[in-house]
Amino acid sequence: MPNNIFIEDKIKNFKKTIRVSSDKSISIRAILLASQAVGASKISNLLESEDVLNALRAIKKLGINYKKRGNSYIIYGYGLNGFNVKKKTTINAGNSGTLARLILGLLIKSKNKIKLVGDKSLSKRDFSRVIKPLKLFGANIKSKNNLLPIEMSGSNFLRPISYDENIGSAQVKSCIILCALNTPGISIINSKNSRNHTELMLKFLKYPIKIDKKKGYDKIFVQGLNQFSGFKYNVPGDISSASFFIVLTLLSERSQIEILNVNINQSRIGIISILNKMGAEIKLKKKRLYNGEKISNIYVRSKKNLKAINCSPKYNSSAIDEFLIIFLVAAKAKGISKFMDLGEMNKKESKRLDLAIKFLKLIGIRVDRIHNDIKIYGNPDLVLSKSYEMKNFLKDHRVFFLSCITALTLGGKWKINDKDSINSSFPNFLKILKMIGAKIN
Ligand code: S3P
């Protein structure tokens, strides 16, 4: 089967209401916490993407059963550390940094040795950021150069830690929190702000976790060894998936979209603040609270006369997966946009900062870079009319989505490789695009 698509026409004006796929971060956390709960949990609207299916396969290998019933997955937990680990168990996290880093936190007491592996992209990513705190807890962990494969042998001699998490990584923070669940005493994480779904879910489960909010940081106290019961959870839509449709609408002509039931947790909506500062008028409608998470419909209209932004790094964590598509808006905006301190982008599924610059240059946009700061010279008259192909992006799903949105809004004849990459996070992406009128071959 060919694994590329062709887009040769811009999208025609549209007015649609859509749902995007369910939130990946919340789906993975719901599965991992259900695997530690006492009794059955029912998770509805789980994202059925490869990263999440790998989480289900992982808990199954660890002795946790689940079944699908209608639109829900029922997961049968045996409480904290209730895994039954066979000898020579290997867990494959595939493309998912979140799964790999979070599940390590749950394996620190494992009776048998477990090997963690991943795909080509994940095997290039650095695990020192979790190996360091895991060792402080007392975990026996082996890896060459802090890369996968990692071998984890559990320990019965765990001690609570006090840790400064200064990257602003929710994966690191969550790994430590999950480790703390299985460790006696109170662990303390002083963590630079990042998405807080793990904390909110534990609060919803009435788990003893306390959070002191400081400027830019959360001090989190987790008391270990408290059991919690199975739960019900309905996963909302993913703002990271929605972001591609937000920008598609914004940069198209005379179009409108309403995206239903999206998670708008403050730690995730940097893109909305940034685009609204650039002149978009994105509205959050029907705001509501669900198990501690904020949800709303997102309403967007096409907008001309977008302006450049001097983007404060305070948004870096809450827009970390969205910068690729934000840069496309900067490319069409009037003036020079500045983004700072984006080194973390190069630690993702691909080296996204490097690739973003390559991509912007491919479409004729000037970019200046000093270390991890970039300037994008916007061109409101930008129209593409040549042939384009982005090569060697390590099958990064978000680079694929970016290429599609660029082709549909700016034109040109595009060959876009690695269509299968959409299965990591958003398997319905192309179907929804076609539904709103995109011509894709
Ligand atoms: C995620 C956290 C972010 C994000 C990733 C999902 C999570 O990574 O980029 O796509 O679910 O915790 P970092 O925590 O490493 O920044």
Side-chain angles (χ1 to χ4, degrees):
M1 278 274 280
N3 195 19
N4 43 45
I5 61 164
F6 295 89
I7 300 181
E8 306 199 336
D9 298 288
K10 288 209 247 180
I11 197 161
K12 297 237 163 58
N13 59 316
F14 57 87
K15 184 178 176 193
K16 293 280 182 202
T17 300
I18 63 165
R19 281 174 194 274
V20 292
S21 60
S22 297
D23 191 275
K24 181 149 71 86
S25 294
I26 294 179
S27 293
I28 293 175
R29 284 159 173 80
I31 291 168
L32 295 181
L33 285 176
S35 82
Q36 301 296 295
V38 178
S41 296
K42 181 178 178 188
I43 306 171
S44 309
N45 274 325
L46 192 74
L47 170 64
E48 289 179 308
S49 79
E50 270 308 306
D51 287 9
V52 178
L53 296 176
N54 279 327
L56 285 170
R57 292 176 192 126
I59 61 165
K60 180 122 201 173
K61 276 211 163 170
L62 297 166
I64 304 293
N65 286 320
Y66 65 84
K67 65 179 180 215
K68 192 171 179 193
R69 200 188 286 150
N71 188 29
S72 305
Y73 282 82
I74 319 288
I75 298 176
Y76 300 91
Y78 297 105
L80 286 180
N81 200 40
F83 291 150
N84 177 12
V85 182
K86 302 225 167 66
K87 281 195 178 138
K88 296 205 169 145
T89 296
T90 297
I91 291 174
N92 189 346
N95 191 240
S96 177
T98 304
L99 171 59
R101 286 163 178 153
L102 268 57
I103 206 161
L104 282 172
L106 293 179
L107 298 176
I108 44 162
K109 261 190 185 168
S110 158
K111 287 187 205 83
N112 287 310
K113 207 184 274 174
I114 298 176
K115 191 169 168 187
L116 178 68
V117 300
D119 73 1
K120 189 171 159 193
S121 149
L122 191 58
S123 303
K124 289 181 194 277
R125 294 173 73 178
D126 171 52
F127 278 73
S128 64
R129 53 181 60 198
V130 285
I131 290 176
K132 194 173 155 209
L134 285 168
K135 281 190 170 163
L136 293 175
F137 274 105
N140 293 308
I141 191 162
K142 264 200 227 150
S143 90
K144 220 192 245 168
N145 302 324
N146 292 312
L147 298 172
L148 295 181
I150 286 176
E151 260 184 21
M152 170 74 97
S153 318
S155 165
N156 279 324
F157 303 99
L158 298 171
R159 58 214 165 228
I161 67 170
S162 179
Y163 197 80
D164 288 330
E165 196 291 301
N166 291 320
I167 307 172
S169 163
Q171 294 179 356
V172 176
K173 171 175 69 178
S174 301
C175 169
I176 298 172
I177 292 175
L178 294 181
C179 224
L181 299 183
N182 280 306
T183 302
I186 296 179
S187 294
I188 304 172
I189 309 132
N190 198 22
S191 149
K192 190 168 163 190
N193 283 350
S194 60
R195 66 189 69 188
N196 63 349
H197 306 301
T198 310
E199 299 93 297
L200 291 181
M201 216 176 264
L202 283 168
K203 278 198 168 165
F204 151 66
L205 295 172
K206 307 233 159 26
Y207 193 87
I209 177 169
K210 189 175 138 260
I211 298 153
D212 284 351
K213 292 206 169 296
K214 306 256 157 73
K215 196 163 181 268
Y217 277 80
D218 281 346
K219 195 164 184 183
I220 305 168
F221 301 80
V222 186
Q223 194 187 83
L225 305 185
N226 284 269
Q227 298 288 355
F228 54 91
S229 310
F231 55 93
K232 284 189 183 157
Y233 203 99
N234 192 351
V235 184
D238 196 324
I239 180 78
S240 297
S241 296
S243 68
F244 296 98
F245 288 87
I246 292 174
V247 173
L248 174 72
T249 311
L250 195 60
L251 298 185
S252 292
E253 278 165 34
R254 289 171 285 112
S255 297
Q256 298 174 39
I257 208 161
E258 184 154 5
I259 310 171
L260 302 178
N261 204 44
V262 183
N263 178 277
I264 51 152
N265 181 317
Q266 193 61 34
S267 64
R268 296 288 300 279
I269 54 169
I271 181 167
I272 292 177
S273 311
I274 292 170
L275 296 183
N276 279 345
K277 277 180 194 290
M278 297 177 84
E281 287 168 13
I282 302 165
K283 295 197 174 81
L284 303 178
K285 291 187 173 174
K286 295 196 183 152
K287 286 191 195 167
R288 52 211 181 264
L289 258 181
Y290 175 75
N291 295 344
E293 292 280 358
K294 276 194 190 141
I295 299 181
S296 82
N297 298 349
I298 299 180
Y299 177 77
V300 194
R301 270 172 183 277
S302 309
K303 209 70 207 271
K304 292 211 167 80
N305 306 326
L306 294 161
K307 52 183 193 289
I309 186 168
N310 186 354
C311 185
S312 163
K314 77 173 185 202
Y315 294 118
N316 284 5
S317 169
S318 61
I320 189 65
D321 291 337
E322 285 68 67
F323 278 109
L324 286 177
I325 197 72
I326 291 170
F327 292 167
L328 183 67
V329 181
K332 265 294 260 184
K334 184 164 188 252
I336 303 170
S337 292
K338 293 180 196 156
F339 299 90
M340 279 160 284
D341 202 10
L342 283 174
E344 271 300 297
M345 281 183 76
N346 270 347
K347 309 263 169 84
K348 300 296 173 191
E349 286 86 327
S350 66
K351 288 193 165 194
R352 279 190 190 148
L353 185 60
D354 299 359
L355 284 177
I357 294 168
K358 186 173 150 194
F359 187 87
L360 290 167
K361 289 186 172 163
L362 177 76
I363 61 170
I365 291 292
R366 176 175 164 196
V367 187
D368 292 346
R369 172 179 186 175
I370 300 177
H371 302 298
N372 295 317
D373 301 346
I374 64 169
K375 279 187 195 164
I376 298 174
Y377 292 72
N379 173 8
D381 302 322
L382 183 65
V383 178
L384 303 180
S385 51
K386 294 191 234 151
S387 296
Y388 304 86
E389 181 182 353
M390 183 69 180
K391 289 190 178 143
N392 301 329
F393 56 91
L394 263 177
K395 301 181 195 289
D396 185 336
H397 49 142
R398 301 200 200 281
V399 177
F400 180 90
F401 301 142
L402 168 69
S403 306
C404 294
I405 302 305
T406 306
L408 291 168
T409 53
L410 302 185
K413 294 196 185 318
W414 286 78
K415 178 182 180 206
I416 307 175
N417 299 309
D418 295 320
K419 178 183 74 172
D420 289 352
S421 63
I422 66 174
N423 294 326
S424 282
S425 65
F426 195 175
N428 283 337
F429 175 74
L430 292 171
K431 224 185 259 167
I432 300 175
L433 275 183
K434 285 182 186 162
M435 194 271 288
I436 60 181
K439 281 196 213 142
I440 297 169
N441 297 307

